[in-house]
Amino acid sequence: MALFGKGVRRVCAVVAASTARGMLRQLRVALGSTRTVELRLDWLKTDAERRRFLNGLRRHVSRTATFLATCRRKEGGGKFTGDIARQLHWLNQARQAGCRWCDIEMETFREFPDGFLRAYPVPPRILLSIHDFARMPKLPKRIVVSQHGQVDALKIAARARTIADSVRLLKVAGRSRNLVAVPMGEVGLPARLLALREGSELSYAPVEQATAPGQISLKEMLQLYRSHLLTRLTRVYGVIGDPIGHSLSPLLHNTGFATRGMDAVYLPFLVQQLGDFLKAVSDFGVKGFSVTIPHKQAILKHLKECEPLAAEIGAVNTVVVQSDGSLYGCNTDYVGVLRALQRKMRIEDRRVLIFGAGGSARAAAFALARAGAQVSICARRENAAKQLARAVGGEAVPRRALGTQSFDAILNATPIGMHPHEGISPLSVHELQCGIVMDLIYRPETTKLLEIAAQKGIATVSGVNMFLAQGFAQWEIWTGKRAPEAAMRRAVLAALRWRS
Ligand code: NAP
């Protein structure tokens, strides 16, 4: 029997604010999405605010809502500065206000003799919580929580420094009853999102402010990742990179899955060591993944097969996990550049200059050369420019020559002007002697480079178009279906415009 109910009830909204008003506002939002709510009484700044909040709470108590009171002391990682007696006082008040559950941290629990808490008038059901904000502790294979009848459930919240750490914690949850597994930190985020399907009784998400490292909001957990609906049958995809927090790929792909009503999810994996992630592919049941900086080249040696063009480019941004577990790689940045530019011009026989000679410049150079363009490369390292130009049958152009030559299109394939350094342009206005300027950067949607090009009357193409096109291609490779492009585009553009 599930401790907290089924489905969305296993997603516990965390209500945490310094004032009673703020807590009550969050509580109303929380109850609009789930029926299980943790109330962080320790976040309230004074006893008067706690009293006011618990008075207000009474109006929201009902048979269908489960409230879990927490008044965690500083020693246990919370904000409450009072002693244990005061902590128990507030948990007792919470019980009187209608809380059926309380969270008591190990730092408090171990101060009491056996059976003491059961006799004390705190909320009748006790969740004992163990936190380690620095590392994953040593874990037994299985934990028998109710062995001595002292508590009803056990929560282990620990920082996952590697993906392997988070897998270990989920495995314990899968083998134990009444266990809440919370892998903390950005590395632990995919496991946090998969915790419910792996057997954790609860998964936590703040209504507003994060109360633990690596948390995502309640809205994202329910709407973007639909973590309460994930099962062992759900197809898991993701993106690997470092950094990864800024990526809009989860929004793009999950919108596609939701629009087509597919049982699939796409997760952000912060990957420092490729090997750490690759070992977890079968544990998480990953069916395919996107690859971004800094792993696009390094992934090549882990592939069983690779699309010849991706091998020639020397970079893979899309991996399919085949039924025998082996990896097949391809490159959709290639398609992305072409589709984005083709919307504005015919490519055959046109002169196109690419500024930069890194991974995306290589994909663009091969794509454009194959489509019949005359490709020129300009990069701060002239040798790199020459090498790439040679590989695609184009020519290298020194920077000083830029203002003197004209092109049909100029593409920026450097990160200059990317968020958070929006104010700078990789090229000056007099260097833009061309009919079209395309920036591969997609955040911000309109970069400084595009801004000065437009002021000069030059047509512009934002990197968003490439980002979307490479993403649509990935989605179609993995699912074998047509991507719902309009919905995916709408979601990404709304997020970009909202964030800028
Ligand atoms: P990369 O492999 O690191 O290559 C970056 C290139 O920019 C290199 O040639 C590098 O030169 C050059 N560069 C960096 N800083 C420079 C500076 N201050 N002055 C002159 N040149 C500089 O990166 P990438 O994967 O090609 O990505 C480049 C940009 O494209 C990023 O902003 C990325 O977000 C964007 N991108 C967008 C999409 C999309 O879908 N829209 C897809 C892929 C990439 P050195 O080799 O000398 O360092």
Side-chain angles (χ1 to χ4, degrees):
M1 187 44 196
L3 275 184
F4 295 90
K6 287 186 179 161
V8 76
R9 288 171 170 276
R10 291 169 69 211
V11 174
C12 181
V14 182
V15 163
S18 60
T19 62
R21 231 174 118 172
M23 291 271 289
L24 288 166
R25 191 187 56 238
Q26 288 187 20
L27 180 59
R28 283 189 290 274
V29 175
L31 289 172
S33 303
T34 177
R35 306 304 293 164
T36 308
V37 185
E38 180 186 35
L39 308 168
R40 291 295 300 261
L41 303 179
D42 55 317
W43 273 57
L44 286 156
K45 63 185 176 200
T46 59
D47 284 351
E49 291 292 341
R50 270 183 274 278
R51 208 166 296 118
R52 215 167 286 142
F53 171 67
L54 290 173
N55 271 336
L57 177 66
R58 292 170 207 274
R59 284 198 304 276
H60 297 279
V61 172
S62 74
R63 276 197 318 122
T64 61
T66 301
F67 294 127
L68 209 151
T70 300
C71 193
R72 190 167 302 139
R73 292 183 303 130
K74 281 215 153 169
E75 291 85 334
K79 285 182 183 269
F80 189 64
T81 49
D83 60 14
I84 292 183
R86 291 302 291 163
Q87 180 184 20
L88 292 189
H89 164 78
W90 285 112
L91 291 178
N92 169 253
Q93 296 294 303
R95 176 188 178 129
Q96 289 181 33
C99 291
R100 278 188 281 143
W101 277 86
C102 63
D103 176 317
I104 295 187
E105 67 273 14
M106 182 56 99
E107 289 76 3
T108 290
F109 183 81
R110 65 177 167 225
E111 298 296 320
F112 301 124
D114 283 2
F116 174 86
L117 275 176
R118 285 293 191 205
Y120 200 89
V122 293
R125 310 209 71 183
I126 300 172
L127 172 71
L128 170 63
S129 59
I130 297 175
H131 297 88
D132 192 329
F133 295 93
R135 64 187 65 78
M136 189 61 64
K138 274 211 160 93
L139 297 166
K141 269 191 113 155
R142 179 165 168 259
I143 297 175
V144 183
V145 175
S146 53
Q147 204 171 21
H148 307 293
Q150 301 255 22
V151 298
D152 299 279
L154 175 70
K155 176 172 93 182
I156 301 178
R159 172 149 177 250
R161 290 194 290 194
T162 60
I163 295 171
D165 277 347
S166 56
V167 169
R168 278 194 293 124
L169 182 54
L170 290 194
K171 282 193 172 159
V172 180
R175 295 188 200 109
S176 312
R177 287 186 57 202
N178 300 354
L179 193 86
V180 176
V182 186
M184 289 195 286
E186 203 183 342
V187 171
L189 180 58
R192 188 182 264 265
L193 292 164
L194 295 176
L196 294 179
R197 81 161 192 177
E198 298 301 315
S200 175
E201 291 288 349
L202 280 183
S203 155
Y204 289 81
V207 175
E208 277 176 15
Q209 274 174 291
T211 53
Q215 276 185 341
I216 57 158
S217 72
L218 181 65
K219 192 170 167 201
E220 281 184 309
M221 187 170 273
L222 294 177
Q223 292 178 15
L224 181 60
Y225 295 104
R226 301 180 291 166
S227 63
H228 56 298
L229 300 177
L230 309 182
T231 68
R232 271 271 151 204
L233 296 176
T234 304
R235 297 179 72 80
V236 176
Y237 300 92
V239 53
I240 65 168
D242 179 15
I244 205 65
H246 67 287
S247 175
L248 288 177
S249 294
L251 177 63
L252 179 77
H253 290 283
N254 286 322
T255 302
F257 296 143
T259 307
R260 288 271 181 265
M262 291 172 63
D263 185 12
V265 68
Y266 183 99
L267 308 171
F269 289 91
L270 175 63
V271 173
Q272 278 134 5
Q273 301 290 331
L274 255 184
D276 181 35
F277 168 75
L278 293 174
K279 273 189 235 139
V281 163
S282 67
D283 288 311
F284 286 141
V286 176
K287 303 288 183 219
F289 53 95
S290 315
V291 186
T292 183
I293 290 175
H295 304 302
K296 281 187 181 179
Q297 283 91 36
I299 192 72
L300 276 156
K301 63 174 184 288
H302 300 278
L303 305 175
K304 184 173 177 201
E305 288 172 85
C306 183
E307 170 196 48
L309 189 59
E312 218 178 327
I313 295 169
V316 155
N317 79 330
T318 310
V319 173
V320 177
V321 181
Q322 303 185 107
S323 50
D324 64 353
S326 65
L327 306 181
Y328 173 81
C330 44
N331 191 313
T332 65
D333 282 340
Y334 177 97
V335 184
V337 174
L338 280 185
R339 277 190 61 181
L341 204 55
Q342 270 164 346
R343 287 169 67 160
K344 283 275 161 95
M345 68 183 243
R346 191 172 61 88
I347 288 172
E348 206 178 338
D349 295 328
R350 298 299 171 95
R351 285 197 79 200
V352 181
L353 175 94
I354 297 170
F355 186 59
S360 59
R362 286 186 70 81
F366 277 91
L368 295 168
R370 293 260 170 129
Q374 300 163 33
V375 175
S376 301
I377 311 286
C378 177
R380 66 175 167 188
R381 287 185 298 116
E382 285 194 17
N383 261 347
K386 280 182 188 155
Q387 262 179 23
L388 178 53
R390 210 176 305 125
V392 298
E395 57 165 10
V397 175
R399 177 83 187 245
R400 61 188 173 279
L402 283 195
T404 64
Q405 298 191 20
S406 63
F407 299 90
D408 292 299
I410 294 182
L411 271 59
N412 171 44
T414 75
I416 306 167
M418 187 166 80
H419 174 81
H421 306 291
E422 280 104 338
I424 45 173
S425 166
L427 297 168
S428 65
V429 68
H430 84 272
E431 289 174 313
L432 301 179
Q433 304 297 335
C434 57
I436 292 178
V437 170
M438 173 170 166
D439 204 333
L440 267 55
I441 293 171
Y442 68 87
R443 197 170 165 213
E445 185 185 352
T446 305
T447 57
K448 186 80 184 166
L449 171 69
L450 297 185
E451 212 175 284
I452 62 176
Q455 279 162 6
K456 199 175 171 180
I458 300 172
T460 61
V461 181
S462 166
V464 177
N465 298 304
M466 172 177 170
F467 172 72
L468 290 169
Q470 62 79 34
F472 298 154
Q474 290 184 323
W475 199 91
E476 290 177 358
I477 287 169
W478 292 324
T479 65
K481 299 180 195 298
R482 262 198 78 72
E485 295 189 4
M488 291 165 83
R489 176 179 289 110
R490 241 190 337 268
V492 167
L493 290 181
L496 274 172
R497 287 167 192 171
W498 183 77
R499 287 182 194 186
S500 63

